[in-house]
Amino acid sequence: MTTSPPTAHSRVPQTLLLLGATGDLAARLLLPGLGRLVATGAQPDLTLVGSGTEAWDDERWRRRVTDSFAAAGADGPRAAEVVRTSRYVCADVTREEDLRRLLATCHGRLVIFFALPPLITARAAAALARIGLPPGTRLMLEKPFGTDAVSARSLNEILARLVPEEQVHRIDHFLGKSTVVNILGLRFANRIFEPVLNSAHVACVDIVFDETLGLEGRAGYYDNAGALVDMVQSHLLQVLALIAMDAPPTLDARDLRGRKAQVLRATRVWDDDPVRWSRRSRYTAGEVAGRRLPAYVNEPGVDPDRGTETLAEVVLAVDTWRWAGVPFRLRSGKALAGKRKEAVITFKQPPRVPTGLTGYDQPDRLRIGFGPDRLGLDVNINGPGDPLDLDQVHLVADFGPGDLPPYGEVLRGAFDGDPTLSVRGDTAEDCWRIVAPVLDAWRAGVVPLREYPAGSPGPGDSLLTPAPGEMTGS
């Protein structure tokens, strides 16, 4: 499924004010997504204003926009017009006088995108609260939303003084991925799966985002975040909420986000024991896909004394009627042997396999892939030789690509005034609450920082492969 088509909001002249315009996020993800959105004709009257502390001029800024649009295959007269009219303003967005100067360059309905670190976002929002915003302004914030539960709550209080909650779009681009959104269609439009997605039939749920990429020059952000905050606290918890929530009456923002909030409020570390049920590791030197990677601690810009993890695992409990007793195992890692980006629902074995059937040793699994985007089902059937010997077969269906890349989808939501694909303020705080015991345990040093060679499957004691019967109760 995709989000709703553009509404009348799209035809109102709008300005996208991009704070942090010279950063990596803008060039790599945001501007390509914007280019694809513009090229579709969904935003026929859009002005783009970029701002950063670097002393760029309009010409250099337009080159960046042109290059980012081209990288996404966004061309044509609409994209060219956005580039032509785009402007760049050098500013310190924590200073009120600079913000007033920025706002004066904008016209029509205003959308402000904070492509900034959490602390700068909070300071900029506080300055905007002192000077005020034009009516109808919408705010887009890039994760992480704060640096812990306290700062997330403080940021929410500042934002509430600026605009109503419905006009705050906390961006988690995973919610713009067509496959992630398709979880809703898979679950609630099919009688086959939904009746068995509960603790009576499901043994465990794994949500994994392993990648072969290393740091890739992102030390400035990543070395202060690490895998737990960068991926688990945000993206993977959002996927968990979609898999575990009950059916909403509608897909309106209020209903859908309300169901997600219920799940996250019920989520905690398994057995309330972050020492037993979390792992942290970082990569050492190695080879990935024929490419030699240095150890993480030797990557440019990394402070080895921080002890930043590049692989994080945590096991969570969802204390609802549907899921009580089912472990949700979340993992994300860098510089691993292969890509694995999927949610896997592993079903319990049947109460009894009739005597005479042989070969049954693998449980049924439902797999939802995030890259490549596909649905898989692993089931046991009678094999082609001995009819009493069971083999597991893998049924696969590819999802069609969405109309837009993830950032294009979430931008469209902000331009159309639809917060369905954004993170609500209370759930942003709950995501920090869920991982807080793990972060505290790691900072206290009671969970050792393991190591694994780049290009390996990761550390040998992964929580994804517990011994049979290891997880009992919650």
Side-chain angles (χ1 to χ4, degrees):
M1 65 171 277
T2 58
T3 53
S4 56
T7 66
H9 292 297
S10 305
R11 295 187 289 272
V12 175
Q14 300 194 64
T15 295
L16 174 61
L17 174 57
L18 176 53
L19 309 181
T22 59
D24 172 72
L25 170 70
R28 187 168 50 91
L29 295 171
L30 177 58
L31 289 174
L34 177 66
R36 288 280 296 278
L37 178 62
V38 167
T40 66
Q43 307 301 325
D45 194 351
L46 177 68
T47 301
L48 174 63
V49 177
S51 180
T53 55
E54 288 80 0
W56 287 15
D57 57 15
D58 288 348
E59 181 180 354
R60 182 172 179 181
W61 166 242
R62 287 169 185 157
R63 284 201 304 271
R64 162 165 279 207
V65 179
T66 299
D67 292 345
S68 294
F69 280 16
D75 52 18
R78 298 184 182 95
E81 179 64 12
V82 169
V83 173
R84 186 187 68 80
T85 59
S86 183
R87 293 190 54 198
Y88 179 84
V89 180
C90 181
D92 178 350
V93 296
T94 66
R95 292 165 52 90
E96 295 175 28
E97 55 268 37
D98 284 21
L99 287 170
R100 287 192 178 93
R101 184 161 49 87
L102 271 175
L103 295 178
T105 67
C106 303
H107 66 275
R109 182 176 287 114
L110 177 60
V111 178
I112 304 177
F113 196 115
F114 296 79
L116 301 167
L119 293 177
I120 303 301
T121 294
R123 292 175 60 191
L128 286 169
R130 292 192 293 270
I131 66 176
L133 286 172
T137 297
R138 297 174 188 136
L139 308 178
M140 300 184 72
L141 286 78
E142 178 66 23
K143 64 93 182 171
F145 315 116
T147 55
D148 54 26
V150 173
S151 61
R153 189 176 307 114
S154 174
L155 178 60
N156 284 341
E157 291 170 354
I158 295 170
L159 297 174
R161 300 203 303 267
L162 279 168
V163 298
E165 172 65 26
E166 300 76 42
Q167 292 168 219
V168 179
H169 298 255
R170 296 172 189 82
I171 300 306
D172 188 317
H173 74 273
F174 259 51
L175 296 177
K177 284 178 173 286
S178 60
T179 310
V180 173
V181 181
N182 267 313
I183 291 172
L184 302 176
L186 172 69
R187 288 192 56 200
F188 303 129
N190 291 284
R191 193 71 178 267
I192 297 174
F193 298 118
E194 185 59 17
V196 295
L197 294 182
N198 55 58
S199 60
H201 300 283
V202 174
C204 62
V205 178
D206 295 334
I207 303 173
V208 183
F209 199 91
D210 286 350
E211 54 187 345
T212 56
L213 294 176
L215 189 57
E216 309 299 319
R218 297 177 64 216
Y221 161 71
Y222 194 89
D223 200 42
N224 289 285
L228 185 70
V229 169
D230 183 47
M231 290 296 302
V232 176
Q233 184 270 342
S234 52
H235 303 318
L236 301 193
L237 282 179
Q238 293 298 318
V239 175
L240 178 151
L242 290 174
I243 290 174
M245 73 181 192
D246 287 330
T250 73
L251 293 188
D252 288 344
R254 183 173 64 176
D255 290 339
L256 179 62
R257 301 202 300 176
R259 284 289 194 258
K260 287 168 54 186
Q262 289 177 333
V263 167
L264 292 171
R265 283 197 300 271
T267 301
R268 59 181 172 86
V269 175
W270 191 268
D271 278 340
D272 294 319
D273 187 353
V275 177
R276 175 68 183 86
W277 297 112
S278 73
R279 297 282 188 276
R280 59 180 182 137
S281 311
R282 68 183 175 191
Y283 63 83
T284 58
E287 186 173 297
V288 183
R291 186 167 63 109
R292 190 73 185 171
L293 284 184
Y296 177 79
V297 296
N298 295 326
E299 293 271 21
V302 167
D303 180 357
D305 293 335
R306 280 202 183 98
T308 301
E309 81 286 351
T310 59
L311 187 149
E313 298 182 63
V314 61
V315 181
L316 302 175
V318 178
D319 290 330
T320 63
W321 183 276
R322 178 190 289 264
W323 293 109
V326 177
F328 283 74
R329 310 185 299 201
L330 278 56
R331 160 172 156 152
S332 181
K334 285 186 172 297
L336 292 164
K339 295 179 182 178
R340 184 186 174 197
K341 303 177 181 180
E342 63 176 355
V344 182
I345 298 168
T346 300
F347 294 97
K348 293 179 178 179
Q349 297 195 6
R352 184 178 182 275
V353 176
T355 302
L357 287 176
T358 61
Y360 182 88
D361 56 5
Q362 293 293 324
D364 304 325
R365 292 184 177 92
L366 176 64
R367 298 179 179 273
I368 303 166
F370 308 131
D373 297 340
R374 61 179 46 157
L375 174 69
L377 186 62
D378 304 340
V379 294
N380 294 283
I381 65 171
N382 296 91
D386 184 342
L388 299 182
D389 190 21
L390 299 175
D391 289 326
Q392 189 165 77
V393 298
H394 311 286
L395 311 177
V396 177
D398 290 328
F399 287 122
D403 295 334
L404 294 170
Y407 268 86
E409 286 286 4
V410 295
L411 280 166
R412 177 161 67 181
F415 290 138
D416 290 348
D418 180 3
T420 301
L421 297 183
S422 67
V423 177
R424 207 169 67 187
D426 57 337
T427 58
E429 295 178 31
D430 260 322
C431 287
W432 281 113
R433 174 195 55 77
I434 291 165
V435 302
V438 178
L439 288 170
D440 290 344
W442 291 6
R443 288 165 182 159
V446 294
V447 177
L449 179 61
R450 294 167 170 82
E451 293 185 329
Y452 60 97
S456 73
D461 61 344
S462 171
L463 294 170
L464 296 186
T465 53
E470 185 173 342
M471 292 183 182
T472 57
S474 63

